[in-house]
């Protein structure tokens, strides 16, 4: 009698799912991917901040955010997840002045991150909006993700 071996359905489905996910973008953390993610996210959130404060004319283009990131200093390769990423963001603020801010970034292996910047440059955790209400400051600390197809 010949005996055949079958793979349990759960294992077969797990293997198929992992194979399907393999082609869905790369979660690798690199300096270039982080820089491409952080700058636009910051600019969009800074526009939201300006809207809350009732400051007209602040656009992503006017802000012109550019980013330079480093992981843990010159002796550490600029790849991989970790809480030791620093990104310098150069931008034009809501008063038209050029600014440079040092943002601490915690990057996770799943290609998501949490970033926070200097309160003297971007304000406190809450701000008073144009209606006199205390609201969260969108650029005080934010989370984001890399483009999965990047």
């Amino acid at each position: 009698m010949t005996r055949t071996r079958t793979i349990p359905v759960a294992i077969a489905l797990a293997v198929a799912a992992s194979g399907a996910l393999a082609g869905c973008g790369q979660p690798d953390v690199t300096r270039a991917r982080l820089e491409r993610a952080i700058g636009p996210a910051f600019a969009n959130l800074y526009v939201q901040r300006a809207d809350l404060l009732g400051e007209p004319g602040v656009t992503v283009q006017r802000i012109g955010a550019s980013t330079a990131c480093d992981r843990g200093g010159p002796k550490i390769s600029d790849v991989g997840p970790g809480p030791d990423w620093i990104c310098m963001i150069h931008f034009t603020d809501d008063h038209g002045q050029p600014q440079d801010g040092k943002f601490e970034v915690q990057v996770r292996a799943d290609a998501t991150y949490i970033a926070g910047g200097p309160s003297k440059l971007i304000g406190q955790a809450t701000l008073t909006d144009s209606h006199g209400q205390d609201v969260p400051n969108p650029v005080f600390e934010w989370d984001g993700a890399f483009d999965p197809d990047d």
Side-chain angles (χ1 to χ4, degrees), residues 19 40 51 76 78 99 123:
D51 287 343
I76 297 177
D78 292 336
Q99 302 290 342

Side-chain angles (χ1 to χ4, degrees), residues 2 7 9 12 24 30 49 56 59 73 75 82 89 98-99 103 107 114 121 137 148:
T2 305
I7 300 173
V9 173
C24 292
T30 64
R49 176 188 175 275
T59 64
K75 294 183 179 183
I89 299 178
Q99 302 290 342
F103 290 74
V107 182
I114 298 173
L121 185 62
N137 180 349

Side-chain angles (χ1 to χ4, degrees), residues 90-110:
H90 177 78
F91 66 102
T92 301
D93 70 12
D94 45 349
H95 303 291
Q97 298 300 309
Q99 302 290 342
D100 290 301
K102 178 179 165 182
F103 290 74
E104 296 178 0
V105 184
Q106 178 179 354
V107 182
R108 299 183 193 112
D110 66 357

Side-chain angles (χ1 to χ4, degrees), residues 10-27:
I11 293 174
L13 288 174
V15 169
S18 67
L21 288 175
C24 292
Q26 298 296 320

